[in-house]
Amino acid sequence: MARRGAHAIVMGGSMAGLLAARVLADYYDRITVIERDSVSAWAEPRKGTPQDRHVHGFWARGLRTVERLFPGIMAELHGGGAVPGDAVGDVNWHQFGGLKLRAPTGIGATLMTRPFLEGHVRRRALDSPTIHLRSGTTVTDLTTSEQHRRVSGVYVLGAGGTREVIEADLVVDATGRGTQAPRWLEFMGYQRPPETAMRIDLAYATRTFRRLTNLPTIGHIIIGTPPILRRGGFCFAVEDSRWQVTLVGFLGEEPPTDPQGFTDYAASLPNAEIHEVVRSCEPLDDIRLYKFASNLRRHYERLSAFPEGYLVIGDALCSFNPAYGQGMTVAALEVEALEACLAGGVAPGQIAAQFFRRAAQVIDVPWRLTTGEDFRFPQVIGKRPPLLSLLNAYVARVHHAATVDPVVCRAFFEVASLTCRPERLLAPEILWRVLTARPVLST
C-alpha cells in the first residue's frame, strides 16, 4: 500500500473515529486519536456519547466491515458475552400491527451494549503500534497554511490546561453531531455546508434487567403504527445475562423515568412482550432518559471548495433517528468509502471531494429509508420527496406481507440491513408476493 504521509489525526475516539484510525494506519506512519473524554476503563460509558447507555443496533453489514478490519473480533465479542443469533428468526419484530415471520434468514445479529462493543474495538485499534490515543484532550481549533488552503494540524488543550499544536498530514473530524467543522470552515473563509434537518423530538428511556439464558428469543422490537401511535420499544439480550430495554416516544411522547411509569408505558405498547420483561424481571440499574431532537445531514458534497488535509465523518456528517439502528453501520460504510479513496491513489487535493461524494452515496439510502418512515407522521416538518405517499403505502404492504411470506420478509430485512438496495423490494417476484399477500393483523 502506498504511504500517504507521516502523521494523521483522528478527532474523536468513538466508533467512526476508531474505525477510521484503523484504515488510516495502512497509509500513514503514525495515527493519533484525540478523545475529549478520559478513557480510564475500556468498557465504561463515556460522557461524549450519552446515548451509549441505550439499546444499540449494529447490522451485520457493518459488523462485516469491523471483522475485516479487525480479524477475529467477532469471536472475541461472542466469547465475551455478546449474544449471537438470526436478526429475524431469533427476534420478535412487531410492526404495522403484525409480527414478522420468525423464519431464519441468514442475516446475523450480534446483540451487546455500546460500551462493550466500543471497548473491544478500541483495544484492537490500540494493539496497532502506529495508533496512539490521547484521552482527556480537547481540540480547540485547526491549524492551517497561509490563506487557509490546507489544514496542517490542530490546537489541543490537555487535562492539565496545557495548550499545544499537533501537526499532521491529514485531520479526520469524527467528533459527532456537535462538530465545530461548519464554524471552523466559515472562519477560514469557506462556506458552511448546507444542512437538511427534520425535527422528530425523539425521547427514549432505558433500564437493564436480569435475563434467563435459556430463552429462544434474543430480542423484542415493537414499533407502533404511525401516525396513530407514537410509542415503541426495544428489548435486546446483551452480555452478562441481561435484558436492555429502551422505551421510545416520538413527537412529544416521553417515556417516564420512575419505575411504575416505565412499567405502565411498556404496558401501553401494542404487544405485551416487552411489558412482560419489565414486569417480571429483576431491574439492575436506574432508568436513564435521552433526547434526540432531529435528523441532521450536512451536505459537504455540495461545497465547491474545501481545505486540503481535512475530512469529516460519522455523525459529524449525518445523524439519523437512532430508533432505526442505522448509525454505526453507516459510519462503517463511510470508513470503507475513505479506504477506497486512499487505496485508489486519489491526489491529496482531491481526497475530500471524492470522499464526500462517496459518503453521500452511502448516506442516501438509509437517509431515504429513515426519513421516509418519519414522514409518516404529519407533524414532522420537511420537504417530502415526490411520490412519498405512494412509496410509503407500498412499504406498509411490504410490512404486512412480511408477516406471512418468508421471501418478502427476507427481502425487507436485506434492505433494512443495508445489504441490498431498496430496489430489491420492487423486483417483480417481490412485488407480486406483496400485492397478493393476505396477512392477518392486529389493531
Side-chain angles (χ1 to χ4, degrees), residues 105-374:
T105 60
I107 300 173
T110 297
L111 306 184
M112 57 201 145
T113 62
R114 169 70 178 268
F116 176 86
L117 169 63
E118 192 173 295
H120 276 273
V121 172
R122 184 185 304 120
R123 180 182 59 79
R124 287 293 301 272
L126 296 179
D127 281 345
S128 168
T130 61
I131 300 176
H132 307 276
L133 174 67
R134 286 194 55 165
S135 66
T137 302
T138 301
V139 175
T140 60
D141 208 343
L142 304 175
T143 65
T144 65
S145 63
E146 291 184 14
Q147 300 180 336
H148 305 302
R149 292 177 179 173
R150 186 182 182 282
V151 171
S152 56
V154 297
Y155 290 100
V156 299
L157 190 66
T162 304
R163 193 168 189 258
E164 63 177 298
V165 173
I166 305 177
E167 296 182 347
D169 301 291
L170 178 68
V171 175
V172 177
D173 188 333
T175 55
R177 185 182 175 96
T179 175
Q180 296 297 307
R183 183 177 65 83
W184 288 338
L185 288 173
E186 190 172 48
F187 176 79
M188 289 188 286
Y190 295 89
Q191 290 184 335
R192 297 173 70 101
E195 294 184 353
T196 301
M198 288 175 50
R199 191 166 187 90
I200 57 174
D201 289 322
L202 181 74
Y204 49 105
T206 297
R207 197 176 203 186
T208 55
F209 298 84
R210 195 173 306 281
R211 174 178 61 91
L212 298 175
T213 57
N214 60 346
L215 300 175
T217 299
I218 64 172
H220 306 285
I221 296 173
I222 303 172
I223 300 176
T225 302
I228 302 167
L229 186 61
R230 302 196 303 269
R231 297 183 176 191
F234 304 86
C235 177
F236 284 2
V238 296
E239 70 274 8
D240 299 328
S241 299
R242 293 175 293 165
W243 288 115
Q244 190 173 44
V245 175
T246 293
L247 302 181
V248 179
F250 292 87
L251 297 166
E253 291 278 4
E254 185 172 310
T257 56
D258 65 285
Q260 187 58 54
F262 190 85
T263 302
D264 292 342
Y265 196 94
S268 74
L269 300 180
N271 184 287
E273 291 162 333
I274 293 179
H275 176 243
E276 181 60 23
V277 169
V278 173
R279 184 194 65 79
S280 63
C281 295
E282 176 191 356
L284 300 176
D285 59 6
D286 295 328
I287 302 165
R288 299 179 184 273
L289 183 70
Y290 177 73
K291 295 183 179 182
F292 181 92
S294 60
N295 298 301
L296 178 62
R297 182 175 183 180
R298 297 183 171 103
H299 298 276
Y300 287 93
E301 76 279 6
R302 298 180 185 173
L303 295 178
S304 59
F306 195 83
E308 183 181 333
Y310 186 47
L311 297 174
V312 182
I313 200 167
D315 279 2
L317 266 182
C318 183
S319 55
F320 301 87
N321 182 337
Y324 302 115
Q326 305 280 24
M328 290 192 295
T329 298
V330 172
L333 298 181
E334 290 172 8
V335 168
E336 286 191 340
L338 171 60
E339 187 177 27
C341 292
L342 297 173
V346 180
Q350 298 299 317
I351 287 179
Q354 185 169 131
F355 168 71
F356 289 134
R357 283 196 298 269
R358 288 176 178 266
Q361 293 170 356
V362 167
I363 293 168
D364 280 343
V365 169
W367 179 262
R368 290 201 308 268
L369 292 174
T370 57
T371 58
E373 290 299 310
D374 289 338

Side-chain angles (χ1 to χ4, degrees), residues 3 64 92 305:
R3 307 304 289 175
R64 285 205 303 269
N92 289 320

